[in-house]
Amino acid sequence: MIQQETTIQEKAFSSNWWKESFLKTTNTLTKTSVFKDCISKDETALMREEIMSIVRLLCKLRTTQFGFRVFVDGKKLSYKQMNEVYDMPPKEGESVNSWAKRAFGDKKIGIIINRGEKLNNELATRMAYKISPLLNQVGTPLLGVNFTIFIGNYGWTPLGIHTDAPGESVTHFHLGPGDKTMYTWNKEEYEDLAGDKKFNNKNVEKFLPYANVHPFEEGDLYYMPPNEFHIGRSDELSIGLTLWLNNHQKKDLAKKLMNVILDQYLEESEDTMKPDKNPLEDLSAAEQALSLIKLPEDIKDLPFSEVMENVFKDYRYSLYSNSGYWTRPFPKEDETTYTLEDSFVLEKPFVMKYVETLDRKNIYIYVRGTKVVLNNHACIKTLIETINKGEVMTIKEAFAILDSEWDDNIGFYIINLLDTHNGIRKLS
Ligand SMILES: [Fe+2]
């Protein structure tokens, strides 16, 4: 039985399955489709537990920072009301049904969590294994992939009939235990019928006779391309993990790159500006702002377009080191202690990336979306390449690759950097 289930799963998310089943049925990501029995019941149960542990973490952090929103009987809980949720986290091993009953009684609930890929490393890794073969075939969306978690038994999606943001396509991994049904409409037909009431249309019953109906249950996948008018219905409590391919508008990428500059290179300063009393043609006051933008040495004198190209390069290497996820995991809170006798392995399926600065003085290593900067030594590149092969390595083997003149502390420092940012894992 176990053997059989393993075979089903390998089949469902293998490179060949994505190509021959998923991409063919969806007509290369353009057609709404349901795929039955892709995830075994054992695995959906595990994934539900991982999601419950995300809820537990958010309750512990007492934060809505990662897009944690709770709706009870259709009303979004206020900042203050969220405290009651934080005080009732799911217990270790508690099922979603049991927790929902304990925390909300018989009320209808809807819970949305936005940064799933950041909040549970096991789940992020599990999903990266599943979708990497797809991204290899369709390309990594330049604004990354992310997953949003929906938990609920709220009946109709409270938004009404709607389309998602331009360029977003979604694959819904349905984790049960309840079922869900999605309703979609032929665009022209629906727009004709609905006229100027087409967006966030809550008059659902009227349009149901014209809908395409897509029921699915625990273990199934539902794919929906951009621009599809839709609404979901879930009467029994269920969890959906929705994976988004973010091929948003081109201007969004431009803004993203500008934000990379702001995040990485704008120096913190609380100074207020001096009034500019110079003649109009004297531009020297600009220096007050320009002096705060600290571009790296190797790109600071390049023309603007080349600076932006290098910013894009930096952003892209970072994204690719994190299997396309648009947010990175939290760094480990406590530094892992390594001795010469220990061994470690790459945190697969993620691979670390590296690039030399243009002046070749430094090397940037990208670890699960975090950039670390080291002096450029050929032996560091060899070390990263060797770890990326994914085989178990001992610390001694790692140090044998590094410069033999170096003190062991340099080796431990590098290994700890990779470990803290979740690039490698110590084996016990
Ligand atoms: Fe939607």
Side-chain angles (χ1 to χ4, degrees), residues 52-222:
M52 282 296 100
S53 79
I54 290 179
V55 176
R56 197 158 43 246
L57 172 69
L58 291 171
C59 289
K60 188 176 144 204
L61 297 174
R62 304 183 84 83
T63 180
T64 54
Q65 195 193 338
F66 307 106
F68 183 27
R69 282 158 288 163
V70 178
F71 299 79
V72 177
D73 284 338
K75 276 200 165 159
K76 188 180 169 195
L77 295 191
S78 67
Y79 190 74
K80 208 174 146 200
Q81 289 168 319
M82 285 299 285
N83 283 309
E84 293 167 32
V85 180
Y86 301 151
D87 288 338
M88 278 225 183
K91 294 176 193 158
E92 201 77 48
E94 187 175 27
S95 73
V96 60
N97 285 73
S98 149
W99 171 66
K101 184 98 185 154
R102 194 163 58 79
F104 306 102
D106 289 326
K107 294 188 177 124
K108 294 283 179 195
I109 57 162
I111 297 175
I112 305 174
I113 299 167
N114 276 129
R115 301 274 180 272
E117 73 282 1
K118 184 182 183 70
L119 299 169
N120 185 293
N121 217 9
E122 284 76 33
L123 190 59
T125 302
R126 183 189 298 285
M127 291 302 294
Y129 268 116
K130 293 191 195 305
I131 62 165
S132 292
L134 172 68
L135 298 184
N136 287 339
Q137 292 173 54
V138 301
T140 300
L142 285 177
L143 285 180
V145 298
N146 69 299
F147 50 91
T148 293
I149 294 156
F150 292 89
I151 305 173
N153 55 358
Y154 42 77
W156 295 111
T157 312
L159 288 174
I161 301 170
H162 66 282
T163 55
D164 297 328
E168 286 181 352
S169 65
V170 63
T171 307
H172 180 115
F173 292 67
H174 197 67
L175 305 179
D179 305 340
K180 188 172 174 119
T181 304
M182 291 296 290
Y183 298 79
T184 61
W185 282 265
N186 172 289
K187 195 173 166 59
E188 287 76 30
E189 191 181 10
Y190 173 75
E191 285 181 338
D192 268 358
L193 288 165
D196 55 7
K197 297 203 174 65
K198 62 183 178 182
F199 292 115
N200 299 107
N201 183 348
K202 292 182 184 158
N203 189 3
V204 182
E205 307 291 334
K206 181 179 167 190
F207 297 92
L208 279 186
Y210 309 96
N212 303 309
V213 186
H214 313 274
F216 49 87
E217 52 196 6
E218 180 172 348
D220 297 348
L221 252 60
Y222 167 78

Side-chain angles (χ1 to χ4, degrees), residues 213-257:
V213 186
H214 313 274
F216 49 87
E217 52 196 6
E218 180 172 348
D220 297 348
L221 252 60
Y222 167 78
Y223 173 77
M224 191 173 69
N227 301 322
E228 186 90 308
F229 280 99
H230 64 280
I231 189 166
R233 185 173 178 96
S234 47
D235 293 313
E236 298 298 319
L237 191 63
S238 71
I239 301 182
L241 188 160
T242 58
L243 184 106
W244 299 81
L245 302 180
N246 296 309
N247 289 302
H248 291 158
Q249 292 166 323
K250 292 175 184 172
K251 66 181 177 195
D252 296 319
L253 180 61
K255 287 179 193 169
K256 180 83 205 180
L257 297 182

Side-chain angles (χ1 to χ4, degrees), residues 217-420:
E217 52 196 6
E218 180 172 348
D220 297 348
L221 252 60
Y222 167 78
Y223 173 77
M224 191 173 69
N227 301 322
E228 186 90 308
F229 280 99
H230 64 280
I231 189 166
R233 185 173 178 96
S234 47
D235 293 313
E236 298 298 319
L237 191 63
S238 71
I239 301 182
L241 188 160
T242 58
L243 184 106
W244 299 81
L245 302 180
N246 296 309
N247 289 302
H248 291 158
Q249 292 166 323
K250 292 175 184 172
K251 66 181 177 195
D252 296 319
L253 180 61
K255 287 179 193 169
K256 180 83 205 180
L257 297 182
M258 291 298 186
N259 279 330
V260 172
I261 294 183
L262 292 179
D263 291 344
Q264 290 199 39
Y265 305 129
L266 177 63
E267 197 174 81
E268 271 300 318
S269 165
E270 302 295 329
D271 295 348
T272 50
M273 282 180 281
K274 299 213 167 42
D276 187 359
K277 295 180 194 158
N278 299 317
L280 186 58
E281 66 278 11
D282 181 342
L283 303 177
S284 55
E287 195 50 31
Q288 299 183 84
L290 299 182
S291 64
L292 296 180
I293 303 170
K294 305 282 190 200
L295 291 180
E297 281 297 311
D298 61 321
I299 64 168
K300 74 178 173 52
D301 295 324
L302 295 178
F304 181 72
S305 63
E306 288 178 38
V307 168
M308 292 311 284
E309 209 173 81
N310 278 281
V311 168
F312 176 66
K313 180 173 161 186
D314 186 51
Y315 168 68
R316 199 159 189 243
Y317 273 73
S318 172
L319 193 63
Y320 276 60
S321 73
N322 199 21
S323 271
Y325 286 142
W326 77 350
T327 57
R328 55 190 174 189
F330 294 113
K332 291 179 190 168
E333 271 179 29
D334 302 313
E335 196 170 90
T336 312
T337 311
Y338 280 97
T339 69
L340 285 173
E341 310 310 317
D342 287 321
S343 52
F344 65 92
V345 70
L346 178 73
E347 196 68 79
K348 289 180 266 189
F350 306 94
V351 280
M352 295 180 282
K353 305 287 179 194
Y354 65 81
V355 70
E356 284 179 346
T357 52
L358 297 182
D359 56 15
R360 307 194 67 184
K361 283 185 185 161
N362 294 320
I363 176 171
Y364 296 147
I365 305 173
Y366 299 86
V367 187
R368 298 288 302 277
T370 293
K371 175 168 79 173
V372 299
V373 188
L374 294 172
N375 290 330
N376 188 9
H377 294 280
C379 63
I380 298 178
K381 289 181 260 182
T382 313
L383 176 67
I384 299 295
E385 281 166 19
T386 313
I387 296 173
N388 274 346
K389 286 180 185 160
E391 285 155 23
V392 173
M393 280 179 85
T394 61
I395 293 290
K396 275 186 192 152
E397 284 166 334
F399 286 9
I401 292 169
L402 296 176
D403 194 321
S404 57
E405 304 276 296
W406 288 358
D407 190 277
D408 280 356
N409 284 333
I410 298 176
F412 283 123
Y413 172 76
I414 295 172
I415 291 292
N416 266 312
L417 267 181
L418 307 181
D419 183 285
T420 296

